[in-house]
């Protein structure tokens, strides 16, 4: 018998959208910062259209959601929230007016997320600023003559996860290819004077720190108790109860024990007192876990008695289950380190109950000997565009093992051969030098041996590459602080990885927009000089 193959998803054809008439931006005088932001957004708006990045994003959005609905056998999906409510059916996404509506939401998802990434801040803050700013409404294509419909914070959050990270990488690569396209018929693809050169790769690694407090063992127990009791209190507010003391009393007790633990270092027998307090905290955690397990079973069986839908109840159940799953290991870790006085290997440490994919990264930097997060590698070209990145979910490999993968990713994605690689001494290894030499790529990787470094600095090409590589550390700082946020607010590895991709796209658009503006201003200045001379 032949296996029955699943039907293919319906074909997708882009439908040209008629752009709504956008109100003219008001004239603002005397504010240089506003004029700078306005000029930058105007050029980014032009880049999104001329490079085809916006249309590429829309087409990939259509393909992604059609395949998702088709594979999951869903009839419809809600893709926006309060203020922009829209539910789309599978057959509607590939034809007619509903497809046009979906394409408009995809454009808003792209532009709203770019603007929020560029300006920083939370979803709530950006939603308020978007409602109050004609400039942002113009850029995000929200302002119309008769009304202004602004997405709320929940819609902005959905927009930030509109496409998966692998599709975002392809969108970014498409934009970079346009920036590197040769001049044809006297014009470059995005109006640059010369195509950008991607033949040189400057590499560096950093720790992408998660938004967590310092991972003190007994503080993890306090976090677990507070999270479980807050979930129980939420369930009780929606009508499901079993006999127990008030949830706030458990939070009060764990806070009291936490303060006692803090003050043990000032006592004469501090080590003995710490062990005593930790045993009390362990008993408190055991009681709280019992209450949480009962409430989890109660909500799972009788969620219809609340005013929640099943997906809403699943969110609360998931929150309880994740903490219950992580708490035993956190208790064991605290016991081993405080009562047993035995070290715990970094690979086995729990750094957060809510972020399981974090690691201890020892980089030996001044002021931050140890960092907690994920290893991030960035690669840039000479003009400062980020051409390669990777965020590691597992414990990051040594820097020496990252060179080959980064070079191959850039060459595959952009179709240009890497002629020169520059990096710090952490990337130096005999294997890397041999591999680069074999493929004919110049190695400007800083040698570990001081004598070899002095000899290499006598070569002009190596010295120039190393001087330029010093800017890469500044590029990493700009990218992390200005485009990912301080701290990075995305929770969960998948969301952090996606936020990095949005940061790369926003950063590269920002860099190219600045370059375009500088070139145009230089041309205007050159035109005016003969008139002034006359």
């Amino acid at each position: 018998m032949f296996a029955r193959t699943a039907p293919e998803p319906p074909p997708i054809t882009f439908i040209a959208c008629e752009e709504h008439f956008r109100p003219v931006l008001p004239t603002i005088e005397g504010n240089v910062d506003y004029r700078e932001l306005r000029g930058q957004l105007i050029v980014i708006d032009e880049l999104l259209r001329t490079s085809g990045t916006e249309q590429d994003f829309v087409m990939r959005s259509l393909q992604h959601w059609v395949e998702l609905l088709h594979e999951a056998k869903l009839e419809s999906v809600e893709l926006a929230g309060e203020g922009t409510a829209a539910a789309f059916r599978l057959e509607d996404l590939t034809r007619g007016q509903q497809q046009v509506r979906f394409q408009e939401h995809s454009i808003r998802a792209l532009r709203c997320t770019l603007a929020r990434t560029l300006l920083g801040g939370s979803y709530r803050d950006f939603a308020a600023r978007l409602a109050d700013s004609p400039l942002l409404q113009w850029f995000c294509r929200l302002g119309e003559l008769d009304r202004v419909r602004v997405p709320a914070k929940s819609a902005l959050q959905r927009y930030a996860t509109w496409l998966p990270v692998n599709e975002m990488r392809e969108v970014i690569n498409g934009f970079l290819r346009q920036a590197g396209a040769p001049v044809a018929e006297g014009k470059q693809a995005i109006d640059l004077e010369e195509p950008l050169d991607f033949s040189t790769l400057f590499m560096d690694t950093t720790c992408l720190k998660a938004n967590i407090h310092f991972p003190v063992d007994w503080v993890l127990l306090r976090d677990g108790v507070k999270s479980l009791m807050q979930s129980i209190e939420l369930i009780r507010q929606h009508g499901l109860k079993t006999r127990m003391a008030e949830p706030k009393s458990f939070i009060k007790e764990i806070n009291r024990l936490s303060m006692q633990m803090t003050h043990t270092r000032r006592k004469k027998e501090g080590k003995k007192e710490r062990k005593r307090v930790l045993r009390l905290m362990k008993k408190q955690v055991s009681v709280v876990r019992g209450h949480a397990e009962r409430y989890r079973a109660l909500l799972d069986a009788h969620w219809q008695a609340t005013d929640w839908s099943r997906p809403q109840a699943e969110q609360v159940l998931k929150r309880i289950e994740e903490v219950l799953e992580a708490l035993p290991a956190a208790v064991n870790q605290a016991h081993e380190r405080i009562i047993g006085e035995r070290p715990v290997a970094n690979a086995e440490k729990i750094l957060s109950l809510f972020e399981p994919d974090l690691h201890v990264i020892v980089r030996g930097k001044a002021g931050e000997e140890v960092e907690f997060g994920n290893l991030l590698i960035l690669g840039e070209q000479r003009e400062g565009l980020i051409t390669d990145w990777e965020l590691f979910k597992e414990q990051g490999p040594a820097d020496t093992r990252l060179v080959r993968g980064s070079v191959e990713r850039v060459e595959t994605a952009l179709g240009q051969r890497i002629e020169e690689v520059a990096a710090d001494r952490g990337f130096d290894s005999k294997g890397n030098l041999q591999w680069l030499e074999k493929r004919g790529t110049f190695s400007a990787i800083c040698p570990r041996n001081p004598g070899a470094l002095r000899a290499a600095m006598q070569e002009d090409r190596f010295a120039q590459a190393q001087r330029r590589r010093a800017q890469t550390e500044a590029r990493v700082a700009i990218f992390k602080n200005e485009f990912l946020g301080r701290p990075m607010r995305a929770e969960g590895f998948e969301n952090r990885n996606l936020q990095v991709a949005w940061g790369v796209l926003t950063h590269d658009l920002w860099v190219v927009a600045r370059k375009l503006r500088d070139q145009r201003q230089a041309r205007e200045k050159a035109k005016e000089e003969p008139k002034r001379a006359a």
Side-chain angles (χ1 to χ4, degrees):
M1 296 193 55
F2 294 97
R4 180 178 297 178
T5 58
E8 293 293 330
I12 299 174
T13 304
F14 182 80
I15 299 177
C17 302
E18 182 179 355
E19 185 176 342
H20 295 289
F21 184 79
R22 292 186 281 181
V24 179
L25 291 174
T27 301
I28 306 295
E29 297 181 356
N31 191 320
V32 176
D33 296 325
Y34 171 81
R35 292 204 303 271
E36 178 68 21
L37 175 62
R38 172 173 168 164
Q40 195 78 356
L41 290 179
I42 288 174
V43 178
I44 292 177
D45 171 75
E46 176 189 337
L47 283 173
L48 290 174
R49 290 181 283 106
T50 58
S51 67
T53 301
E54 187 171 76
Q55 181 172 336
D56 186 25
F57 183 88
V58 172
M59 285 300 296
R60 292 184 182 278
S61 298
L62 277 168
Q63 188 69 39
H64 168 69
W65 285 104
V66 166
E67 290 178 357
L68 195 66
L69 287 172
H70 182 76
E71 292 174 2
K73 298 181 180 179
L74 298 176
E75 294 182 357
S76 65
V77 62
E78 183 181 349
L79 298 180
E82 179 185 350
T84 55
F88 297 93
R89 293 183 300 170
L90 176 60
E91 59 269 22
D92 291 338
L93 287 178
T94 55
R95 68 169 185 265
Q97 189 62 29
Q98 289 298 316
Q99 180 179 337
V100 173
R101 286 185 64 217
F102 177 83
Q103 292 179 182
E104 291 176 348
H105 277 287
S106 298
I107 292 172
R108 290 174 187 170
L110 171 64
R111 291 172 172 264
C112 287
T113 309
L114 287 175
R116 186 187 61 82
T117 305
L118 182 64
L119 298 176
S122 64
Y123 295 111
R124 187 185 300 273
D125 293 339
F126 182 75
R129 186 171 181 179
L130 187 58
D132 197 45
S133 172
L135 174 61
L136 292 179
Q137 294 166 12
W138 175 87
F139 177 77
C140 298
R141 294 192 179 182
L142 299 174
E144 301 177 20
L145 291 179
D146 57 339
R147 63 180 178 179
V148 178
R149 179 175 292 178
V150 177
K153 63 181 186 303
S154 57
L156 293 173
Q157 187 172 8
R158 288 188 177 96
Y159 284 164
T161 57
W162 197 260
L163 270 184
V165 67
N166 59 321
E167 295 292 342
M168 285 297 302
R169 185 179 286 272
E170 292 302 319
V171 172
I172 296 166
N173 290 337
F175 171 71
L176 293 176
R177 285 193 292 268
Q178 289 297 306
V183 177
E185 299 180 358
K187 185 178 178 69
Q188 206 272 337
I190 57 175
D191 200 28
L192 290 170
E193 292 180 353
E194 294 180 355
L196 297 181
D197 180 20
F198 298 117
S199 64
T200 304
L201 181 64
F202 300 92
M203 303 170 57
D204 202 358
T205 56
T206 185
C207 174
L208 185 61
K209 294 189 288 187
N211 186 20
I212 63 171
H213 57 65
F214 194 86
V216 181
D217 300 313
W218 51 267
V219 176
L220 296 179
L221 307 188
R222 184 201 65 184
D223 292 345
V225 170
K226 290 180 66 175
S227 179
L228 291 176
M229 284 297 107
Q230 288 169 354
S231 299
I232 289 175
E233 188 171 13
L234 186 63
I235 296 172
R236 289 165 67 90
Q237 288 174 358
H238 286 266
L240 295 180
K241 294 183 179 182
T242 62
R243 293 191 58 176
M244 63 172 287
E246 283 296 322
K248 290 182 180 179
S249 65
F250 292 92
I251 297 178
K252 181 178 179 180
E253 177 63 18
I254 199 67
N255 284 337
R256 184 184 67 81
L257 293 173
S258 298
M259 287 186 285
Q260 285 187 18
M261 184 68 83
T262 302
H263 296 148
T264 54
R265 67 178 60 189
R266 302 179 181 179
K267 296 185 178 182
K268 185 176 181 180
E269 297 183 351
K271 185 182 294 186
K272 183 178 180 180
E273 182 67 11
R274 282 168 61 84
K275 294 181 180 182
R276 185 190 69 84
V277 177
L278 181 62
R279 290 187 178 98
L280 295 176
M281 296 182 78
K282 289 172 62 179
K283 291 181 180 179
Q284 181 81 351
V285 169
S286 179
V287 173
V288 168
R289 285 185 60 198
H291 289 311
E293 289 171 353
R294 286 193 295 274
Y295 268 90
R296 178 186 59 181
L298 181 66
L299 178 60
D300 190 25
H302 302 286
W303 63 270
Q304 298 93 338
T306 68
D307 57 352
W308 285 333
S309 64
R310 181 63 191 184
Q312 290 174 323
E314 289 285 352
Q315 288 295 321
V316 181
L317 290 171
K318 180 181 177 182
R319 175 180 172 184
I320 295 175
E321 289 169 359
E322 288 177 349
V323 177
L324 286 176
E325 183 178 351
L327 258 182
V331 171
N332 181 67
Q333 176 175 294
H335 179 91
E336 288 292 305
R337 288 165 58 89
I338 296 177
I339 296 178
E341 300 183 16
R342 292 179 288 270
V344 177
N346 284 342
E348 300 175 0
K349 285 181 181 176
I350 295 179
L351 304 179
S352 172
L353 296 179
F354 315 106
E355 296 284 357
D357 299 313
L358 303 182
H359 307 283
V360 179
I361 298 179
V362 182
R363 301 185 62 83
K365 295 190 175 182
E368 285 185 317
E369 179 73 19
V370 177
E371 297 174 283
F372 307 100
N374 299 94
L375 183 70
L376 172 67
I377 180 173
L378 290 176
E380 64 165 348
Q381 48 87 246
R382 288 195 178 273
E383 280 81 6
L385 269 76
I386 297 175
T387 56
D388 181 62
W389 79 96
E390 185 173 2
L391 185 66
F392 293 89
K393 183 175 183 179
E394 305 299 332
Q395 186 71 43
D399 290 355
T400 55
R401 300 173 58 187
L402 302 177
V403 174
R404 184 167 183 169
S406 185
V407 171
E408 291 177 345
R409 278 195 303 272
V410 174
E411 290 185 338
T412 302
L414 305 184
Q416 288 196 22
R417 177 177 169 77
I418 299 297
E419 303 290 346
E420 182 177 318
V421 174
D424 61 29
R425 65 185 61 199
F427 292 84
D428 181 44
S429 73
K430 185 177 180 180
N432 285 336
L433 295 179
Q434 291 176 346
W435 181 74
L436 292 173
E437 182 180 1
K438 182 178 180 181
R439 70 191 306 274
T441 300
F442 179 76
S443 174
I445 299 176
C446 181
R448 297 175 187 265
N449 186 293
L453 175 59
R454 284 192 295 269
M457 288 297 289
Q458 301 303 314
E459 186 178 356
D460 289 341
R461 185 178 182 182
F462 179 90
Q464 291 176 5
Q466 278 297 309
R467 280 193 287 270
R468 169 58 183 83
R469 186 199 63 78
Q471 300 178 25
T472 304
E473 295 188 8
R475 181 67 52 188
V476 170
I478 290 171
F479 177 70
K480 287 173 59 177
N481 296 332
E482 302 300 329
F483 293 91
L484 298 184
R486 292 178 291 181
M488 187 179 186
R489 297 178 181 272
E491 298 180 355
F493 176 81
E494 297 301 329
N495 290 329
R496 289 198 299 275
N497 196 17
L498 186 56
Q499 181 60 39
V500 171
W502 278 109
V504 171
L505 177 58
T506 308
H507 171 273
D508 287 354
L509 285 166
W510 174 71
V511 171
V512 175
R514 287 181 60 185
K515 188 175 182 66
L516 265 178
R517 292 183 65 198
D518 292 342
Q519 291 179 356
R520 291 171 179 176
Q521 289 173 2
R523 287 198 294 264
E524 292 295 327
K525 187 177 180 180
K527 290 179 181 179
E528 293 177 0
E529 285 182 355
K531 297 179 181 179
R532 293 177 181 176

